[in-house]
Amino acid sequence: MTRHRVVLALGLAAAMLLGGSASAQQKRERVPLNVLVTQLSNDGKGVDKDARRLDDKLRRQFRYDSLKVLQKRRIDLELDQVGTIDLPNGRSARVQPIHKSEEGILMAVDVENAAKIDARVKNHNLLVIRAGKYDDGDLVLSLEPDYAE
């Protein structure tokens, strides 16, 4: 092999290794999400204090007088990892962070028999999805990326 070909082969091998390690590093990156499962209804009980921020966003889109927090938790997923959230109406939601950039997290969310969505959400912003009926109201799933920048 000539010296030129050896240098070219080594350069290509280094480029492949660097490209692969950057991809592997991105896949290992963690995406913490704050999860809030709430019920919208007209039972006259008002808005739970933990749901006030969500209420500000939903008030323009839905008619209700009660917003009750049913679940509040934090999940920590790697990019491309699928997490499952069991909902009180018997359905489940599958959440998968796909890509992270300066514009936020691209997520795929699939609420069983209710909604499928791919959306990019900025850090500390809410992605709100209607998750079907529950008792005398509607179930709402909200996801908030919450990572150190």
Side-chain angles (χ1 to χ4, degrees):
M1 220 187 241
T2 67
R3 184 172 189 211
H4 177 72
R5 287 185 182 166
V6 169
V7 171
L8 182 62
L10 288 174
L12 287 172
M16 289 173 48
L17 285 173
L18 288 175
S21 67
S23 176
Q25 180 181 1
Q26 186 180 28
K27 286 186 185 245
R28 286 191 302 269
E29 191 167 359
R30 303 208 63 85
V31 178
L33 297 169
N34 295 323
V35 177
L36 197 64
V37 178
T38 54
Q39 179 188 16
L40 301 176
S41 68
N42 289 306
D43 66 9
K45 294 183 180 176
V47 176
D48 286 358
K49 73 173 187 151
D50 287 340
R52 288 191 182 129
R53 182 170 167 224
L54 180 61
D55 180 50
D56 289 341
K57 185 167 185 162
L58 294 180
R59 201 48 81 177
R60 296 180 295 269
Q61 299 172 16
F62 298 99
R63 290 180 188 232
Y64 60 91
D65 62 18
S66 297
L67 181 55
K68 179 180 179 182
V69 174
L70 303 175
Q71 293 178 22
K72 181 179 179 180
R73 67 182 203 171
R74 185 173 174 93
I75 59 175
D76 190 24
L77 300 172
E78 290 181 1
L79 288 176
D80 291 326
Q81 179 184 1
V82 177
T84 301
I85 301 165
D86 293 321
L87 301 172
N89 61 358
R91 297 178 181 180
S92 63
R94 294 170 42 92
V95 179
Q96 180 182 19
I98 299 169
H99 181 260
K100 183 178 179 182
S101 70
E102 291 179 10
E103 291 83 35
I105 301 293
L106 177 62
M107 290 190 286
V109 182
D110 181 359
V111 179
E112 182 182 359
N113 298 319
K116 288 184 183 186
I117 186 170
D118 290 348
R120 186 168 301 276
V121 186
K122 290 185 178 183
N123 198 24
H124 304 295
N125 282 274
L126 294 174
L127 173 61
V128 180
I129 302 164
R130 189 166 177 228
K133 293 288 185 185
Y134 180 68
D135 286 343
D136 63 344
D138 292 310
L139 204 60
V140 174
L141 170 67
S142 63
L143 303 166
E144 174 192 12
D146 184 20
Y147 53 88
E149 295 185 73

